Short mmCIF file of all heavy atoms in Angstrom, two decimals:
data_model
loop_
_atom_site.label_atom_id
_atom_site.label_comp_id
_atom_site.label_asym_id
_atom_site.label_seq_id
_atom_site.Cartn_x
_atom_site.Cartn_y
_atom_site.Cartn_z
N VAL A 663 126.32 103.17 114.89
CA VAL A 663 125.69 101.87 115.13
C VAL A 663 126.08 101.31 116.49
O VAL A 663 125.25 100.75 117.21
CB VAL A 663 126.05 100.88 114.01
CG1 VAL A 663 125.39 99.53 114.24
CG2 VAL A 663 125.63 101.43 112.65
N LEU A 664 127.35 101.49 116.87
CA LEU A 664 127.79 101.02 118.19
C LEU A 664 127.04 101.75 119.29
O LEU A 664 126.62 101.13 120.28
CB LEU A 664 129.29 101.23 118.33
CG LEU A 664 129.90 100.79 119.67
CD1 LEU A 664 129.72 99.29 119.88
CD2 LEU A 664 131.39 101.16 119.74
N ARG A 665 126.85 103.06 119.13
CA ARG A 665 126.11 103.83 120.13
C ARG A 665 124.67 103.32 120.25
O ARG A 665 124.12 103.21 121.36
CB ARG A 665 126.13 105.31 119.74
CG ARG A 665 125.26 106.22 120.61
CD ARG A 665 125.75 106.29 122.06
NE ARG A 665 124.83 107.05 122.87
CZ ARG A 665 124.92 108.38 123.07
NH1 ARG A 665 125.91 109.07 122.50
NH2 ARG A 665 124.04 109.01 123.82
N ALA A 666 124.06 102.97 119.13
CA ALA A 666 122.70 102.43 119.15
C ALA A 666 122.64 101.11 119.91
O ALA A 666 121.72 100.86 120.70
CB ALA A 666 122.18 102.25 117.73
N GLN A 667 123.64 100.26 119.69
CA GLN A 667 123.67 98.98 120.39
C GLN A 667 123.87 99.17 121.89
O GLN A 667 123.24 98.50 122.70
CB GLN A 667 124.82 98.12 119.84
CG GLN A 667 124.78 97.84 118.36
CD GLN A 667 123.59 96.99 117.95
OE1 GLN A 667 122.82 97.36 117.08
NE2 GLN A 667 123.44 95.86 118.57
N LEU A 668 124.75 100.11 122.25
CA LEU A 668 125.01 100.37 123.67
C LEU A 668 123.78 100.95 124.35
O LEU A 668 123.43 100.56 125.47
CB LEU A 668 126.20 101.32 123.82
CG LEU A 668 127.57 100.78 123.37
CD1 LEU A 668 128.62 101.88 123.44
CD2 LEU A 668 127.98 99.59 124.21
N ASP A 669 123.11 101.92 123.69
CA ASP A 669 121.93 102.54 124.28
C ASP A 669 120.80 101.54 124.45
O ASP A 669 120.02 101.61 125.41
CB ASP A 669 121.46 103.71 123.40
CG ASP A 669 122.39 104.91 123.48
OD1 ASP A 669 123.26 104.93 124.38
OD2 ASP A 669 122.27 105.82 122.64
N ALA A 670 120.68 100.61 123.51
CA ALA A 670 119.61 99.61 123.57
C ALA A 670 120.00 98.39 124.39
O ALA A 670 119.16 97.51 124.61
CB ALA A 670 119.24 99.17 122.15
N ASN A 671 121.27 98.35 124.84
CA ASN A 671 121.78 97.19 125.58
C ASN A 671 121.45 95.91 124.83
O ASN A 671 120.90 94.95 125.38
CB ASN A 671 121.19 97.14 126.99
CG ASN A 671 121.92 96.15 127.88
OD1 ASN A 671 123.07 95.80 127.62
ND2 ASN A 671 121.25 95.67 128.92
N SER A 672 121.78 95.92 123.53
CA SER A 672 121.42 94.81 122.65
C SER A 672 122.65 94.31 121.91
O SER A 672 122.84 94.60 120.73
CB SER A 672 120.35 95.27 121.65
OG SER A 672 120.06 94.25 120.73
N PRO A 673 123.52 93.54 122.60
CA PRO A 673 124.74 93.07 121.94
C PRO A 673 124.49 92.02 120.87
O PRO A 673 125.31 91.85 119.97
CB PRO A 673 125.54 92.47 123.11
CG PRO A 673 124.51 92.09 124.12
CD PRO A 673 123.42 93.11 124.00
N GLU A 674 123.35 91.31 120.93
CA GLU A 674 123.07 90.25 119.97
C GLU A 674 122.16 90.70 118.84
O GLU A 674 122.45 90.48 117.66
CB GLU A 674 122.44 89.05 120.70
CG GLU A 674 123.31 88.48 121.81
CD GLU A 674 124.61 87.90 121.28
OE1 GLU A 674 124.64 87.48 120.11
OE2 GLU A 674 125.59 87.86 122.04
N LYS A 675 121.03 91.34 119.17
CA LYS A 675 120.06 91.74 118.16
C LYS A 675 120.46 93.08 117.56
O LYS A 675 120.64 94.07 118.27
CB LYS A 675 118.66 91.86 118.78
CG LYS A 675 117.58 92.20 117.77
CD LYS A 675 116.23 92.30 118.45
CE LYS A 675 115.15 92.69 117.44
NZ LYS A 675 113.82 92.82 118.08
N PRO A 676 120.58 93.17 116.23
CA PRO A 676 120.97 94.44 115.59
C PRO A 676 119.93 95.54 115.83
O PRO A 676 118.73 95.30 115.78
CB PRO A 676 121.03 94.08 114.10
CG PRO A 676 121.19 92.60 114.07
CD PRO A 676 120.45 92.08 115.26
N VAL A 677 120.42 96.74 116.11
CA VAL A 677 119.56 97.90 116.32
C VAL A 677 120.01 99.00 115.38
O VAL A 677 121.21 99.28 115.28
CB VAL A 677 119.64 98.41 117.78
CG1 VAL A 677 118.79 99.65 117.96
CG2 VAL A 677 119.18 97.32 118.74
N ARG A 678 119.07 99.62 114.71
CA ARG A 678 119.43 100.67 113.76
C ARG A 678 119.83 101.96 114.45
O ARG A 678 119.30 102.30 115.52
CB ARG A 678 118.23 100.96 112.84
CG ARG A 678 118.61 101.77 111.61
CD ARG A 678 117.38 102.33 110.91
NE ARG A 678 116.73 103.36 111.70
CZ ARG A 678 115.74 104.11 111.26
NH1 ARG A 678 115.24 103.89 110.07
NH2 ARG A 678 115.21 105.04 112.02
N ALA A 679 120.78 102.67 113.87
CA ALA A 679 121.18 103.97 114.41
C ALA A 679 120.00 104.93 114.41
O ALA A 679 119.18 104.92 113.48
CB ALA A 679 122.32 104.55 113.57
N VAL A 680 119.89 105.76 115.44
CA VAL A 680 118.73 106.64 115.57
C VAL A 680 118.87 107.90 114.72
O VAL A 680 117.90 108.63 114.54
CB VAL A 680 118.49 107.03 117.05
CG1 VAL A 680 118.18 105.80 117.88
CG2 VAL A 680 119.71 107.77 117.61
N LEU A 681 120.08 108.18 114.22
CA LEU A 681 120.29 109.37 113.40
C LEU A 681 120.86 108.98 112.03
O LEU A 681 121.66 108.06 111.94
CB LEU A 681 121.27 110.34 114.09
CG LEU A 681 120.81 110.97 115.39
CD1 LEU A 681 121.93 111.84 115.96
CD2 LEU A 681 119.56 111.81 115.18
N PRO A 682 120.47 109.70 110.98
CA PRO A 682 121.06 109.45 109.66
C PRO A 682 122.45 110.07 109.56
O PRO A 682 122.76 111.02 110.28
CB PRO A 682 120.08 110.14 108.70
CG PRO A 682 119.48 111.24 109.51
CD PRO A 682 119.40 110.72 110.93
N LEU A 683 123.26 109.53 108.68
CA LEU A 683 124.61 110.02 108.47
C LEU A 683 124.71 110.71 107.12
O LEU A 683 124.49 110.09 106.08
CB LEU A 683 125.61 108.86 108.54
CG LEU A 683 127.08 109.18 108.22
CD1 LEU A 683 127.62 110.21 109.20
CD2 LEU A 683 127.91 107.90 108.24
N GLY A 684 125.02 112.01 107.15
CA GLY A 684 125.24 112.76 105.91
C GLY A 684 126.71 112.75 105.55
O GLY A 684 127.57 112.91 106.42
N ILE A 685 127.01 112.55 104.26
CA ILE A 685 128.40 112.40 103.82
C ILE A 685 128.79 113.52 102.87
O ILE A 685 128.23 113.64 101.79
CB ILE A 685 128.60 111.04 103.13
CG1 ILE A 685 128.19 109.90 104.07
CG2 ILE A 685 130.05 110.87 102.69
CD1 ILE A 685 128.10 108.56 103.38
N ILE A 686 129.76 114.34 103.29
CA ILE A 686 130.33 115.37 102.42
C ILE A 686 131.69 114.88 101.96
O ILE A 686 132.62 114.76 102.76
CB ILE A 686 130.49 116.72 103.17
CG1 ILE A 686 129.15 117.18 103.76
CG2 ILE A 686 131.07 117.78 102.23
CD1 ILE A 686 128.10 117.51 102.72
N PRO A 687 131.87 114.56 100.67
CA PRO A 687 133.13 113.97 100.21
C PRO A 687 134.30 114.95 100.29
O PRO A 687 134.22 116.07 99.80
CB PRO A 687 132.82 113.59 98.76
CG PRO A 687 131.72 114.51 98.35
CD PRO A 687 130.90 114.73 99.58
N ALA A 688 135.39 114.48 100.90
CA ALA A 688 136.60 115.30 100.99
C ALA A 688 137.83 114.41 101.09
O ALA A 688 138.83 114.79 101.69
CB ALA A 688 136.53 116.24 102.20
N GLY A 689 137.75 113.21 100.49
CA GLY A 689 138.85 112.26 100.57
C GLY A 689 139.51 112.04 99.23
O GLY A 689 139.31 112.80 98.28
N SER A 690 140.30 110.97 99.14
CA SER A 690 141.04 110.69 97.91
C SER A 690 140.23 109.86 96.91
O SER A 690 140.42 109.97 95.71
CB SER A 690 142.34 109.96 98.23
OG SER A 690 142.08 108.78 98.98
N THR A 691 139.31 109.02 97.41
CA THR A 691 138.49 108.20 96.51
C THR A 691 137.00 108.44 96.71
O THR A 691 136.24 108.44 95.75
CB THR A 691 138.79 106.70 96.72
OG1 THR A 691 138.60 106.37 98.11
CG2 THR A 691 140.22 106.39 96.32
N ASP A 692 136.55 108.60 97.94
CA ASP A 692 135.13 108.88 98.25
C ASP A 692 134.21 107.85 97.63
O ASP A 692 133.20 108.18 96.99
CB ASP A 692 134.76 110.29 97.79
CG ASP A 692 135.57 111.37 98.46
OD1 ASP A 692 135.69 111.34 99.69
OD2 ASP A 692 136.12 112.24 97.75
N VAL A 693 134.52 106.58 97.85
CA VAL A 693 133.71 105.50 97.28
C VAL A 693 132.29 105.52 97.84
O VAL A 693 131.31 105.35 97.11
CB VAL A 693 134.38 104.14 97.56
CG1 VAL A 693 133.46 103.00 97.14
CG2 VAL A 693 135.71 104.04 96.84
N VAL A 694 132.17 105.74 99.14
CA VAL A 694 130.84 105.72 99.76
C VAL A 694 129.98 106.85 99.22
O VAL A 694 128.80 106.67 98.90
CB VAL A 694 130.95 105.81 101.29
CG1 VAL A 694 129.56 105.80 101.92
CG2 VAL A 694 131.77 104.65 101.84
N SER A 695 130.55 108.04 99.10
CA SER A 695 129.80 109.18 98.57
C SER A 695 129.34 108.92 97.14
O SER A 695 128.21 109.23 96.78
CB SER A 695 130.65 110.45 98.62
OG SER A 695 129.95 111.55 98.09
N CYS A 696 130.23 108.35 96.33
CA CYS A 696 129.86 108.04 94.94
C CYS A 696 128.73 107.02 94.91
O CYS A 696 127.84 107.10 94.06
CB CYS A 696 131.07 107.50 94.18
SG CYS A 696 132.32 108.73 93.81
N SER A 697 128.75 106.06 95.82
CA SER A 697 127.70 105.05 95.86
C SER A 697 126.36 105.64 96.28
O SER A 697 125.31 105.27 95.76
CB SER A 697 128.09 103.93 96.84
OG SER A 697 129.28 103.29 96.44
N VAL A 698 126.39 106.57 97.22
CA VAL A 698 125.15 107.15 97.75
C VAL A 698 124.62 108.27 96.87
O VAL A 698 123.42 108.32 96.55
CB VAL A 698 125.37 107.68 99.19
CG1 VAL A 698 124.12 108.38 99.70
CG2 VAL A 698 125.74 106.53 100.12
#
């Protein structure tokens, strides 16, 4: 998301990330993976 804001030079208006994020769970709780 930060890269999207920097590329768009948009510090105020939110800009969506241009790429999706795939999550492979390999942690102790993996809350985000369980949610998705």
